[in-house]
Amino acid sequence: MLLTQFRAEEEQKTAEQIEQNLEELEFQLFRMQENMKEIAKRWKIIGIEPTNEEKWVIVSMVDDGHLCKIMLNQCDAADHGRWDFSIQAQYEDRHTIHIGDIKGQENRGYGSICMKYLKDHAKAQNVQYIKGDLAKRDWDHIDRLIHFYEKHHFEVEVDYDEKAGSIRWNAG
């Protein structure tokens, strides 16, 4: 009897969880529609992606030929006029984009989403390389950065004595 009661509670819990997930998804869809209207006024929308947490985000971009910024906005709240995550880069020359900074919450999958779009954009622009620097200010999270860049197929060079380094991705 106890096992039967446990199974009934689990089935009920699962049904309640499914209903709650459906409500959250409907809410995110509503927010996505509203946010896309506002974001499209400021930036070029280039994608919509699910995150590690099964939430949806809008990916947008600004590229003026000198600066290139890939931005991500969450869909679980109203648009507030700014992005929630960003990879900020600039063109060194016709063949190279240099990442200047990555800003936003870590360990949510946002960096991976933005990096995918930056690499796709680089390929579409016939940009051969994406480069960047590892600076002293990064040292409190250097292991996480190394893991992130290696996961995205960057060559990573680190000088632990100087607390400096570089990253490089080749589109070819």
Side-chain angles (χ1 to χ4, degrees), residues 13-42:
K13 187 177 178 182
T14 302
E16 289 172 5
Q17 287 174 337
I18 290 170
E19 187 174 332
Q20 182 180 0
N21 289 347
L22 181 58
E23 288 175 11
E24 288 176 11
L25 189 58
E26 288 173 342
F27 180 74
Q28 284 187 64
L29 180 59
F30 169 76
R31 283 289 182 212
M32 184 185 306
Q33 291 171 327
E34 295 301 310
N35 290 355
M36 285 181 73
K37 293 175 192 173
E38 296 304 314
I39 292 167
K41 293 176 185 176
R42 298 185 305 272

Side-chain angles (χ1 to χ4, degrees), residues 43-59:
W43 306 309
K44 178 182 177 183
I45 294 176
I46 56 176
I48 300 168
E49 296 286 333
T51 68
N52 293 345
E53 300 166 338
E54 297 182 16
K55 306 251 182 190
W56 288 88
V57 294
I58 299 167
V59 184

Side-chain angles (χ1 to χ4, degrees), residues 61-88:
M61 175 180 68
V62 172
D63 186 339
D64 65 5
H66 300 285
L67 298 174
C68 177
K69 187 187 312 187
I70 306 294
M71 299 160 289
L72 179 146
N73 290 74
Q74 300 171 3
C75 293
D76 57 359
D79 179 58
H80 43 63
R82 60 187 186 277
W83 43 261
D84 295 301
F85 193 93
S86 172
I87 294 180
Q88 301 173 2

